[in-house]
Amino acid sequence: MGKAVVIAISGVSGSGKTALVKRLAKQLYCPSLVFDDYIDVDTYPKNMKQWLKRGCNVEEITTPRFVAALEHLKLYTDAPFIVIEEPFGQCRRAMALHIDFTIVLDIPIEICLARVISRNINSPNSDSLTAIPKYLCEYEDYLRDIYLNVLEQTRHRCDLKISNVMPKQALANFVLQQLRSKLLV
């Protein structure tokens, strides 16, 4: 087994992380991991408003199953790359140990909000009439500030920051071009 280069995609909810991870993995013929597949009841602090007041220490966000899955994949894949969705980039030590290159999707927060609302409306598993107002209330109360705080943290520890809004395939092509020049993909 070779040493796979781990490429992390970070950004706030609605920035396009998951879509980009899936496209990159397909185009690079490599495995991928998505953060949301590894969250559980203990992942986030119990009181997110208090967490915000304490400064949003991302070390308090724990995903031991995600770390274990990445460690396992690194040991057993023959692929030259692994693409992961890690919203916090290299800011969590447990993940930073395994990440070789971090891309932060730093697009305007109002576009991210619109995407989250659209995703919720279009989700067949969602009661959008209940979920959207609840999300918007939390967003106004504390989520927006959390997103901005965490985004500021990840900006300072990334290898590539993308601020332009692009169609999904154009974004994937741009990232592949950047990876080719920086990692010799």
Side-chain angles (χ1 to χ4, degrees):
M1 307 293 155
K3 177 167 174 9
V5 172
V6 177
I7 302 165
I9 309 300
S10 65
V12 304
S13 184
S15 62
K17 298 179 304 293
T18 304
L20 181 58
V21 164
K22 290 177 181 180
R23 285 179 184 272
L24 290 177
K26 183 177 180 181
Q27 290 181 248
L28 291 170
Y29 304 100
C30 69
S32 63
L33 299 173
V34 176
F35 179 85
D36 286 351
D37 293 342
Y38 297 93
I39 60 173
D40 56 39
V41 296
D42 296 321
T43 296
Y44 292 102
K46 298 296 181 220
N47 186 325
M48 294 299 284
K49 284 173 77 169
Q50 287 299 318
W51 184 68
L52 171 63
K53 288 179 184 177
R54 291 193 312 270
C56 297
N57 179 358
V58 296
E59 288 295 337
E60 294 180 44
I61 297 170
T62 59
T63 51
R65 292 184 310 113
F66 190 30
V67 174
L70 181 54
E71 288 172 343
H72 179 82
L73 199 50
K74 283 177 67 173
L75 282 174
Y76 295 104
T77 188
D78 285 328
F81 302 99
I82 300 169
V83 182
I84 66 168
E85 175 193 356
E86 169 54 29
F88 312 100
Q90 294 189 37
C91 294
R92 298 188 308 143
R93 278 188 300 267
M95 291 303 289
L97 295 170
H98 302 289
I99 296 171
D100 299 299
F101 194 85
T102 303
I103 300 165
V104 64
L105 301 178
D106 189 9
I107 65 170
I109 193 127
E110 61 273 2
I111 291 175
C112 297
L113 175 61
R115 288 176 176 177
V116 169
I117 292 169
S118 290
R119 180 173 60 207
N120 204 298
I121 289 170
N122 295 319
S123 172
N125 301 328
S126 171
D127 177 11
S128 59
L129 291 177
T130 304
I132 292 172
K134 179 181 183 297
Y135 179 80
L136 289 174
C137 184
E138 292 172 350
Y139 183 86
E140 186 176 354
D141 191 24
Y142 61 90
L143 280 179
R144 180 180 185 279
D145 292 332
I146 286 174
Y147 291 155
L148 292 172
N149 186 304
V150 171
L151 185 57
E152 185 63 25
Q153 291 177 57
T154 58
R155 277 185 192 123
H156 296 293
R157 300 198 54 199
C158 72
D159 301 293
L160 176 62
K161 181 177 84 160
I162 300 173
S163 300
N164 297 342
V165 178
M166 299 179 228
K168 292 175 185 175
Q169 190 57 53
L171 176 61
N173 292 343
F174 176 77
V175 168
L176 286 171
Q177 177 187 11
Q178 294 299 306
L179 291 173
R180 282 187 188 99
S181 69
K182 296 178 188 317
L183 298 176
L184 303 174
V185 172

